[in-house]
Amino acid sequence: MSEPLEQILSLYQDEHREIANVDEPQCSLVLFKQADKNFAFYGSQIKEILAERPVSWVPGCPPSLEGVINHRGRVESVININRLIETAGQDVPGKRTILIGRGNKMQSGILIDKLIDVLDVAESLIHPAADNLSSAMQKVVVGIVPVGHEYFALLDLNLVFERYLETSGYDSLA
C-alpha cells in the first residue's frame, strides 16, 4: 500500500465514530395491477391474499359485486373495483387473485387482475393524491407511492367500501 493511503486509513481506524440510527416510520403496502394501472392498499387493511379462487355469481346483486366465495367455511362477498374506480374491465383468462380486506364497516374480497408485491415503504415516500384524478378516483385514492420506476395510486380500503355501499344501494338500508 502507498504511504498516504496508510495514513488516511490509520486516521479512520483510530477515530471512534458513532453510527446514527434513524428510525423512519414504515408502512406495508400490497401492490397490484387493475386494468393495466398500478394500485396499492395499506397492508394493514388486507387480511389475506387468495390466489386463483373461482367466484360464484349470485343473481340480483349490484354490478360492482362479482359474486361470492367459500373461504374457510364462510361465504365471503367479492367486489369488482373496476366499476368503483371507473376503469375499463379486462378479460383476464382463468381465475384471478382475491384480496380479503377488512375495513371499519365491512369485510369483503376484492378481485384484482394481478398481484405485484407486498413490501414495506417509508411513510415519507407517500405523496398526496393529484388533483387531476377522475371524480371516482378522488373518492378512494389517498396518495401516490413511487416504487422503482413506477407510481402506484394508494387506495384506502375504508373509502373503497364506502363507495361500494353508496353505489350498490346497501348504504341506504343501514
Side-chain angles (χ1 to χ4, degrees):
M1 257 194 253
S2 68
E3 193 170 309
L5 180 60
E6 287 179 5
Q7 289 174 350
I8 294 171
L9 289 175
S10 68
L11 289 174
Y12 280 107
Q13 290 172 351
D14 294 338
E15 198 174 298
H16 296 289
R17 293 182 176 207
E18 288 187 32
I19 297 173
N21 189 6
V22 179
D23 287 330
E24 186 169 0
Q26 302 271 321
C27 67
S28 179
L29 297 179
V30 177
L31 308 176
F32 64 97
K33 278 202 181 287
Q34 193 69 22
D36 281 333
K37 295 180 182 166
N38 295 329
F39 294 98
F41 280 120
Y42 286 108
S44 61
Q45 295 177 323
I46 303 300
K47 301 304 168 202
E48 285 187 68
I49 299 170
L50 308 176
E52 300 185 358
R53 186 70 61 103
V55 178
S56 300
W57 179 73
V58 179
C61 288
S64 55
L65 185 65
E66 188 77 12
V68 295
I69 59 171
N70 181 348
H71 178 61
R72 299 180 192 256
R74 187 179 154 179
V75 175
E76 196 73 61
S77 62
V78 178
I79 295 172
N80 185 336
I81 63 170
N82 284 340
R83 298 180 194 270
L84 301 177
I85 57 178
E86 295 176 357
T87 58
Q90 279 191 304
D91 288 332
V92 177
K95 302 171 188 171
R96 294 186 285 175
T97 303
I98 299 171
L99 305 176
I100 301 293
R102 184 175 300 145
N104 295 335
K105 291 185 175 183
M106 65 182 282
Q107 174 175 310
S108 180
I110 297 106
L111 193 63
I112 63 169
D113 292 342
K114 182 181 177 187
L115 180 68
I116 303 293
D117 202 355
V118 177
L119 57 94
D120 291 333
V121 298
E123 288 180 5
S124 62
L125 291 178
I126 301 173
H127 303 290
D131 293 335
N132 61 348
L133 294 173
S134 69
S135 62
M137 292 287 277
Q138 286 179 359
K139 293 179 182 178
V140 295
V141 175
V142 293
I144 303 295
V145 183
V147 177
H149 299 296
E150 298 184 281
Y151 289 88
F152 289 79
L154 179 59
L155 306 174
D156 185 308
L157 190 63
N158 288 314
L159 298 175
V160 170
F161 284 159
E162 283 178 26
R163 177 117 170 95
Y164 167 72
L165 292 172
E166 286 172 10
T167 58
S168 66
Y170 292 131
D171 201 29
S172 61
L173 300 175

